[in-house]
Amino acid sequence: GSDPWGVKVERVEIKDVRLPTNMQRSMAAEAEATREAHAKIIAAEGEKKASRSLKEAADIINESPIALQLRYFQTLTHISAEKNSTIVFPIPIEFLKLMRTRGSSSTTSGF
């Protein structure tokens, strides 16, 4: 642009730029939106990996019924490590029916 005046420009250096406040806010909002979008993508990838791991665990437990019982005991052990814990053991209805059947044939019954 300076050739018609006989001035040859080889290099331009900018030392100080002052942006209007509105533009600074817009740039900051854009950067924040980009960071949030990136964080959501990372979280979604983590959820996808977790769901795959849970499916694999469910498949393993499905193949071996005792694996579910072992996992149950492991969970109870983990819970009981805390000092102020109350653990409720679920008892299958079939077990109670079996106990009632056996209890009715003896002289003492706990039910």
Side-chain angles (χ1 to χ4, degrees):
S2 60
D3 285 342
W5 299 319
V7 177
K8 183 178 178 188
V9 178
E10 290 184 17
R11 175 176 83 192
V12 175
E13 186 177 322
I14 300 173
K15 292 197 175 210
D16 188 20
V17 177
R18 294 177 194 237
L19 296 174
T21 306
N22 289 342
M23 185 175 277
Q24 289 176 4
R25 287 183 187 148
S26 295
M27 291 171 70
E30 182 181 1
E32 184 177 352
T34 302
R35 284 191 302 271
E36 287 178 3
H38 187 63
K40 287 181 181 180
I41 290 169
I42 291 170
E45 286 294 324
E47 289 292 325
K48 190 162 66 171
K49 288 179 183 177
S51 65
R52 283 184 184 144
S53 294
L54 286 171
K55 185 197 177 303
E56 289 173 11
D59 290 342
I60 291 168
I61 288 173
N62 191 35
E63 290 173 8
S64 173
I66 195 67
L68 183 60
Q69 190 68 34
L70 291 172
R71 181 67 182 123
Y72 177 70
F73 288 143
Q74 184 181 23
T75 302
L76 287 176
T77 302
H78 179 73
I79 291 171
S80 67
E82 298 175 15
K83 293 187 180 189
N84 296 326
S85 297
T86 300
I87 299 173
V88 178
F89 290 95
I91 299 174
I93 299 297
E94 293 79 17
F95 182 72
L96 292 176
K97 289 178 183 176
L98 179 65
M99 294 301 290
R100 286 184 183 158
T101 304
R102 287 184 180 181
S104 64
S105 63
S106 66
T107 57
T108 59
S109 176
F111 297 101

